[in-house]
Amino acid sequence: MPILPLGIPPEKYFYNRKDELKRLKNHLNALNEDIAEQILMTGYRGVGKTSLLKKLINEVPENILVSYVDISRIYGIQKGELTEELILSELLSSMNEAIGKKRIKFTEKVHGKLNQILNGLKLKEYDFREAGTLLGISIPDVKDNYLKLSQFVMQLPQRVVESSKGEIKGFLIVMDEFQLIGELKKPSAFFWMIRSYTQEQSNVSYIFTGSISRTSEIIDMINGPNGAFGGRMIQFNIEPFTREETRGYLTEKVPEITFTDDGFERFYECTRGIPSYINTFCNTLSSGDVYTAGKVKETFFKKMDQITVMWIKIWGTLTPKEKEIVVSLVENGPQTWSSLLESVNFSRASLAKYLDILKNKGIIGLNTEKNYIVDDLLLSNWLKTKREMDGYYPQ
Ligand SMILES: Nc1ncnc2c1ncn2[C@@H]1O[C@H](COP(=O)(O)OP(=O)(O)OP(=O)(O)O)[C@@H](O)[C@H]1O
Ligand SMILES: [Mg+2]
């Protein structure tokens, strides 16, 4: 049985994405000319956004520092209680790590101070009265002072570049699973805060990415006409592998699997070129068999739990109300807001709240007629199949 990675692919498993990498690198190279571009990367769940960014991070030029923050990590640790302070301290911690990795002349000094600040933040002691300033930025000295903390964290990357006297030309900050910022009490304000700093910083680029549908409100909040970045962010959608890429990927990484032509077609139809499905599906196939369309279909239904493992995990994290909304959409197909409200057993306010959460999780989106739909075919197929086989939806 072939084994394809289910996490971030090691170099030898990473396939293609050459054009995307080239485009991203061009945007980053602008930092050398003191032009900082901001990027919003979208794409289906499992399409390979994180993998692509990790690859990019490994390949950025020596003179660019990189911070990578995964908001879902903080969200997970805090069991869903996300606050601005937590995001900022995670950001600060990843900046500190980035500085530590490069031996620049002030690494030791900055590292030492930042460690002290970070320890304080962990203990919720924002009291650094003794600390004074760092690279000319005053260190927050008031307990729980979000404003000062944000000033400090947001100014730090540009200040690092300036203080390095040419050694460092830019700071790249990647915020993965950024859609979870939508769970803050005032997400808009947070984006405006970031925007207010990026406007003045010519050497700090942000890449926001996550599992978001393109129609999610959070996209508007950050980059819509009235959003914080008002359309100035470069929107970058990562597409699934094309039919040819899927074929190329399979031939290169798992040549031991044999498909007939119609078998491959069926495989492509089932996975729609989404690498995470390609990988999990491949891992259920055997090298001794020849996969015809019929055999692919049969295996797909038999091994569905293994193939949709990503959704099984996510399903387990949804609340009963969120599940009820998804089930209603699976059973009734696309629905308007009001028909959805009729079909679920709770109030308008709850529906609005949970729909937002589901959109921000990339589970529900809007179709071209502006009706709500389940954004992932495999998720709805999995739920339908479970209902048929077990008589009820997964708990
Ligand atoms: N270019 C690639 N080559 C080979 N495998 C890939 C590639 N891109 C993604 N994958 C595989 O697909 C799976 C999903 O990738 P990844 O986690 O990067 O997707 P994502 O878009 O970040 O998903 P999510 O929306 O859930 O965060 C992983 O198992 C990874 O190994
Ligand atoms: Mg990801």
Side-chain angles (χ1 to χ4, degrees):
M1 197 188 275
I3 308 277
L4 287 171
L6 303 183
I8 302 305
E11 187 62 33
K12 72 172 183 167
Y13 285 104
F14 191 87
Y15 180 72
N16 200 1
R17 297 294 190 205
K18 292 200 167 63
D19 289 345
E20 288 88 344
L21 277 169
K22 200 166 147 195
R23 261 184 74 193
L24 286 169
K25 283 179 188 169
N26 281 341
H27 290 308
L28 286 186
N29 275 334
L31 290 169
N32 283 307
E33 311 299 325
D34 302 323
I35 298 170
E37 299 190 298
Q38 316 306 336
I39 295 170
L40 180 55
M41 185 184 275
T42 54
Y44 292 116
R45 247 184 214 275
V47 81
K49 300 172 296 286
T50 303
S51 306
L52 177 62
L53 286 169
K54 292 275 176 169
K55 171 103 172 150
L56 174 78
I57 289 172
N58 282 335
E59 296 179 7
V60 294
E62 268 299 296
N63 63 357
I64 294 177
L65 292 178
V66 188
S67 275
Y68 173 87
V69 177
D70 177 356
I71 310 277
S72 73
R73 217 183 65 95
I74 321 170
Y75 190 76
I77 295 169
Q78 292 302 316
K79 299 195 183 65
E81 283 298 314
L82 195 66
T83 61
E84 286 83 352
E85 282 87 348
L86 280 167
I87 300 177
L88 287 168
S89 72
E90 189 68 17
L91 201 52
L92 187 60
S93 157
S94 75
M95 288 175 188
N96 188 27
E97 215 176 286
I99 295 164
K101 274 190 200 144
K102 291 263 148 75
R103 307 313 300 174
I104 14 182
K105 47 181 151 325
F106 52 75
T107 293
E108 295 293 324
K109 176 182 140 204
V110 174
H111 217 37
K113 210 58 160 252
L114 289 182
N115 279 337
Q116 189 192 338
I117 296 175
L118 282 161
N119 281 333
L121 284 174
K122 261 190 221 131
L123 302 167
K124 276 230 153 252
E125 284 172 2
Y126 290 46
D127 196 357
F128 306 111
R129 240 158 300 183
E130 301 296 313
T133 63
L134 181 63
L135 303 177
I137 327 167
S138 54
I139 292 171
D141 63 351
V142 185
K143 228 180 184 164
D144 268 344
N145 190 326
Y146 167 60
L147 185 68
K148 284 199 175 164
L149 178 64
S150 63
Q151 279 169 357
F152 180 75
V153 176
M154 297 307 295
Q155 288 180 49
L156 186 65
Q158 179 68 32
R159 210 54 77 92
V160 166
V161 174
E162 283 160 13
S163 314
S164 80
K165 303 225 163 35
E167 233 181 308
I168 300 296
K169 278 305 286 185
F171 216 123
L172 168 66
I173 294 164
V174 179
M175 285 216 205
D176 204 348
E177 302 295 351
F178 93 98
Q179 77 281 357
L180 291 169
I181 291 176
E183 312 275 304
L184 291 174
K185 290 206 175 65
K186 291 185 179 161
S188 241
F190 192 74
F191 290 133
W192 281 98
M193 183 277 290
I194 296 182
R195 164 77 180 137
S196 72
Y197 287 98
T198 58
Q199 217 160 6
E200 298 161 2
Q201 299 182 340
S202 48
N203 300 89
V204 188
S205 274
Y206 285 81
I207 300 181
F208 289 90
T209 188
S211 319
I212 10 158
S213 70
R214 256 185 289 186
T215 47
S216 166
E217 263 135 49
I218 199 119
I219 301 271
D220 272 346
M221 209 182 269
I222 191 167
N223 202 33
N226 300 315
F229 286 81
R232 289 178 202 87
M233 284 186 123
I234 296 163
Q235 227 149 308
F236 200 101
N237 195 56
I238 305 300
E239 302 294 340
F241 288 167
T242 61
R243 187 177 261 101
E244 289 65 42
E245 283 170 329
T246 305
R247 212 185 252 286
Y249 176 62
L250 296 175
T251 315
E252 192 176 308
K253 310 295 182 195
V254 279
E256 64 274 28
I257 301 181
T258 318
F259 289 101
T260 59
D261 282 348
D262 63 343
F264 171 76
E265 275 308 308
R266 182 52 73 94
F267 179 86
Y268 183 69
E269 225 172 80
C270 290
T271 58
R272 288 170 307 130
I274 296 180
S276 78
Y277 294 146
I278 298 179
N279 286 4
T280 48
F281 199 166
C282 270
N283 289 351
T284 71
L285 305 179
S286 338
S287 46
D289 290 330
V290 174
Y291 286 92
T292 59
K295 202 162 169 60
V296 168
K297 190 175 163 195
E298 185 197 316
T299 317
F300 183 67
F301 284 105
K302 225 194 264 163
K303 301 289 169 93
M304 196 157 219
D305 275 354
Q306 218 174 315
I307 299 167
T308 52
V309 62
M310 165 175 99
W311 284 114
I312 298 173
K313 265 192 245 147
I314 297 167
W315 188 253
T317 68
L318 301 187
T319 62
K321 285 197 173 71
E322 288 164 11
K323 287 180 184 163
E324 195 178 328
I325 297 174
V326 178
V327 164
S328 167
L329 291 173
V330 167
E331 287 195 340
N332 307 314
Q335 287 184 80
T336 59
W337 206 91
S338 28
S339 70
L340 197 51
L341 182 64
E342 263 172 48
S343 77
V344 293
N345 259 325
F346 40 85
S347 69
R348 287 175 158 271
S350 293
L351 179 61
K353 176 178 160 192
Y354 291 109
L355 262 182
D356 266 356
I357 295 179
L358 288 167
K359 280 207 262 173
N360 289 342
K361 285 183 178 168
I363 294 174
I364 279 178
L366 289 169
N367 65 9
T368 42
E369 285 91 42
K370 301 264 172 218
N371 288 332
Y372 290 97
I373 51 164
V374 176
D375 227 8
D376 191 288
L377 211 61
L378 238 61
L379 170 63
S380 59
N381 277 346
W382 172 65
L383 289 170
K384 275 185 202 155
T385 311
K386 280 288 179 197
R387 171 82 175 77
E388 267 168 42
M389 291 191 325
D390 305 340
Y392 51 86
Y393 289 103
Q395 297 301 299

